[in-house]
Amino acid sequence: MSVRIVLGAQWGDEGKAKVVDYLTRDADIVVRYQGGANAGHTIKAGDLEFIFHLIPAGIVHPDKTCVIGNGVVLDPAALFQEIDDLEARGITIQDRLFISPNTHLVMPYHICLERASEEKIGENRIGTTLRGIGPSYADKINRSSGIRIGDLLDPDVLPAKIRANVREKNEILTKLYGSDPLDEIPILEAYIAYGERIAPFVTNTSVYLNDAIEAGKRVLFEGAQGTLLDIDHGTYPYVTSSNTTAGGACTGAGVGPTVIDEVIGVAKAYTTRVGNGPFPTELTDETGDRIREIGQEYGATTGRPRRCGWFDAVIVRMAARINGLSSLAITRLDILDELEEINICTHYTRKGSRIDHFPVDLKVLEGCEPAYETLPGWQTPTRAIRTREDLPDNAKSYLDRIVELTRTPISLVSVGPDRDETIAVD
């Protein structure tokens, strides 16, 4: 039995989809357990490139089954756009994708509310993707307003819920934000149609997954975003609205923690962040611009340029602790190939004191300065390398230092976007 979780160990965009795609070869089922269409997972297979927002990246493997768990908030329009795109490219979905009836829906008013809220806040906005994720999770927690996949299949429940919600949200949109009201009729018609189309995919995924695990199937859980964006443990309030950590895989899919065999944290060889919020190792100079351009660091969902900085061992140590990481998968090592010197943040300092653990208080964090250790670059192309032994000595030293500072072994190293540009470390 092999049950693995793959999740982000930084602020998201770590290259999880590439790692999931690589590990899917040894899996039977791939599960998405939290987040929504705010995630952008990009994989390359030969000349083909796929960007997924909701469907697990394992769907490109024709013999694998994929699951969207109850912890996800699902925008049906985004889902069917992905399905149509995949089928147009010859990838069959039917009988290979299952969705929990307890998965909550992203509605058009969620997107309108999020956009209006961000505009009203102005300079202090969170910097969301404007996909309606936060308002959808808010309705889920509010309980009286949430609409789930199962409701789409109930012709008595769905119209009443949509009418009540649209009227309530219109009060907020018009009176608080000064926005135009929404018409409930086209929303209801669209979601009735979604329900008819989504019905074949709906199943009790908790039962399905637990039966599969008991039968010895290999299951791979695919996280969205990153540990530092977790609603409880991240840089609140500059976080997402779900639990991106390992515990979220259990609650977001309906499996117990004792079935998990391995937790792999994905981290870039440097650090990036999209949106607002603290970023201790951020580079606002030519080096940061250079890394961004070499790595083409632009969001797959929003297209926004990512903020770039040096590898921060403090946040990855935190990710290792909170998630109980078994190992790290280091991605985008090749992006550093040209650099003469590479800094790595070993700890922070504040008012003359050393800080080894990521502060939970953002006011404390704002006063922290990264303490760097400078390592020589390798200035040698690495994309063609397939074994750790063949890496340049300075690259191996850099990886060894990451292991020492994060207290976590490295199991995979990615040296390019393609599936085969991966080094498995024994």
Side-chain angles (χ1 to χ4, degrees), residues 82-122:
E82 286 187 33
I83 288 175
D84 291 343
D85 179 62
L86 286 167
E87 290 183 338
R89 298 167 80 172
I91 297 176
T92 303
I93 305 297
Q94 196 64 43
D95 299 324
R96 297 182 53 229
L97 176 66
F98 300 111
I99 304 172
S100 169
N102 293 342
T103 300
H104 277 252
L105 293 170
V106 174
M107 306 294 293
Y109 48 76
H110 291 140
I111 297 171
C112 292
L113 285 168
E114 187 164 55
R115 181 177 293 109
S117 175
E118 287 282 272
E119 290 174 356
K120 187 178 181 66
I121 293 171

Side-chain angles (χ1 to χ4, degrees), residues 44 66 78 89 135 166 176 219 226 234 242 249 254 261 286 295 301-302 313 315 326 355 386 400 403 410 414 416:
K44 289 192 68 176
C66 291
R89 298 167 80 172
V166 170
L176 180 61
V219 181
S242 60
D261 298 311
E286 292 181 2
T301 299
T302 64
I315 68 171
S326 309
I355 297 178
R386 297 294 176 267
D400 288 343
V403 171
I410 292 173
S414 173

Side-chain angles (χ1 to χ4, degrees), residues 321-361:
R321 168 170 51 86
I322 288 174
N323 295 297
L325 294 184
S326 309
S327 66
L328 286 170
I330 299 297
T331 62
R332 315 217 81 188
L333 185 71
D334 56 299
I335 304 304
L336 304 181
D337 285 351
E338 299 178 11
L339 301 187
E340 298 82 4
E341 292 182 333
I342 301 170
N343 286 340
I344 184 168
C345 175
T346 59
H347 60 279
Y348 303 151
T349 60
R350 182 175 183 270
K351 296 181 178 180
S353 299
R354 175 177 175 132
I355 297 178
D356 288 302
H357 299 291
F358 194 79
V360 296
D361 187 335

Side-chain angles (χ1 to χ4, degrees), residues 340-395:
E340 298 82 4
E341 292 182 333
I342 301 170
N343 286 340
I344 184 168
C345 175
T346 59
H347 60 279
Y348 303 151
T349 60
R350 182 175 183 270
K351 296 181 178 180
S353 299
R354 175 177 175 132
I355 297 178
D356 288 302
H357 299 291
F358 194 79
V360 296
D361 187 335
L362 290 197
K363 289 184 179 179
V364 174
L365 182 60
E366 287 171 358
C368 289
E369 295 291 335
Y372 288 121
E373 185 176 297
T374 302
L375 286 76
W378 42 94
Q379 298 183 277
T380 303
T382 58
R383 286 192 64 170
I385 294 173
R386 297 294 176 267
T387 67
R388 188 188 184 284
E389 291 71 24
D390 290 338
L391 285 171
D393 288 341
N394 287 349

